[in-house]
Amino acid sequence: KRKTCSKELECVIKIQRSYRVFAVHLSRKMLLNKKNQSCRVIQRIFRSYRAHNTLIEATKQMMAEHRLKDNLNKNKLKARMHEKRIRALFERLDERAATKIQARCRNYLERRKEEIEQLISNEDLLRQAEEERQRLNEVQQREQMERSLAYRAKKYLKQIPT
């Protein structure tokens, strides 16, 4: 049972790692849409995995029950019932684990969204500062040109009737 739990944990970790790599490349708008979708994907994969295991377990259990009715005594039946209760306990723990994974995934995506929004706002501020600097530079150049002797002479010549 421990090997199965570690494999399940490895699978969950691989799913999370794959999604995180994918999420890094998403744009700001896609990140908002993919947040809930990714949680649903993780949940769907985990539930299908659990359903598959449940089907296998149910088949094994049905076969075991059939054999128990024919061949086993009461002591072995009690042992099987105890095993069944333990499996039910682990399945409840699996559901809690899926909920925790989803919560942590949503928290990660929310933090990533805030980081992206901060980067975008910083880029906007830098762009505005650059535009303001260019505008001031153009105004200074225009003022220098208007103060120049050649510009004033040209303007004066235009005022003289020909």
Side-chain angles (χ1 to χ4, degrees):
K1 189 67 179 177
R2 286 185 182 196
K3 287 183 179 180
T4 306
C5 288
S6 67
K7 285 182 182 179
E8 290 174 5
L9 182 60
E10 287 175 12
C11 290
V12 171
I13 289 171
K14 285 180 183 179
I15 291 168
Q16 287 177 323
R17 184 184 320 132
S18 298
Y19 179 72
R20 286 182 183 137
V21 167
F22 177 71
V24 167
H25 300 291
L26 292 178
S27 67
R28 185 171 110 189
K29 288 182 181 178
M30 289 177 67
L31 190 62
L32 293 174
N33 293 335
K34 293 290 180 179
K35 179 177 128 180
N36 289 329
Q37 182 183 358
S38 64
C39 292
R40 283 187 233 119
V41 167
I42 290 171
Q43 192 176 31
R44 185 185 70 227
I45 291 169
F46 188 82
R47 286 181 179 158
S48 65
Y49 169 78
R50 193 176 63 212
H52 176 73
N53 282 351
T54 304
L55 179 64
I56 290 171
E57 290 296 320
T59 304
K60 287 179 182 178
Q61 186 177 1
M62 284 174 39
M63 292 173 65
E65 287 176 0
H66 181 69
R67 276 187 240 120
L68 280 175
K69 288 178 183 176
D70 295 336
N71 300 327
L72 298 177
N73 59 28
K74 289 183 180 181
N75 290 336
K76 289 185 178 183
L77 182 61
K78 288 179 183 178
R80 295 284 182 186
M81 296 302 274
H82 180 68
E83 185 179 329
K84 183 178 176 181
R85 283 187 218 122
I86 289 173
R87 277 198 190 108
L89 174 66
F90 280 117
E91 286 177 4
R92 286 193 302 267
L93 292 175
D94 286 347
E95 285 183 28
R96 292 180 193 151
T99 304
K100 292 285 186 185
I101 290 169
Q102 291 170 11
R104 289 194 176 138
C105 183
R106 285 186 184 114
N107 288 337
Y108 169 78
L109 292 175
E110 192 63 32
R111 285 192 312 270
R112 184 70 180 140
K113 175 186 144 197
E114 290 170 1
E115 290 171 5
I116 289 172
E117 287 175 350
Q118 183 65 33
L119 287 173
I120 289 171
S121 67
N122 288 345
E123 289 174 1
D124 288 343
L125 291 174
L126 288 173
R127 188 178 76 312
Q128 289 173 358
E130 179 65 22
E131 289 172 357
E132 183 65 25
R133 187 180 58 74
Q134 287 178 354
R135 195 172 343 106
L136 288 174
N137 193 16
E138 290 172 2
V139 169
Q140 288 175 349
Q141 287 177 353
R142 194 178 314 117
E143 287 175 354
Q144 277 181 340
M145 185 184 71
E146 289 175 357
R147 282 184 282 190
S148 72
L149 183 60
Y151 179 78
R152 282 194 257 157
K154 189 176 179 182
K155 191 175 178 183
Y156 178 73
L157 289 175
K158 283 186 179 179
Q159 291 176 356
I160 299 175
T162 56

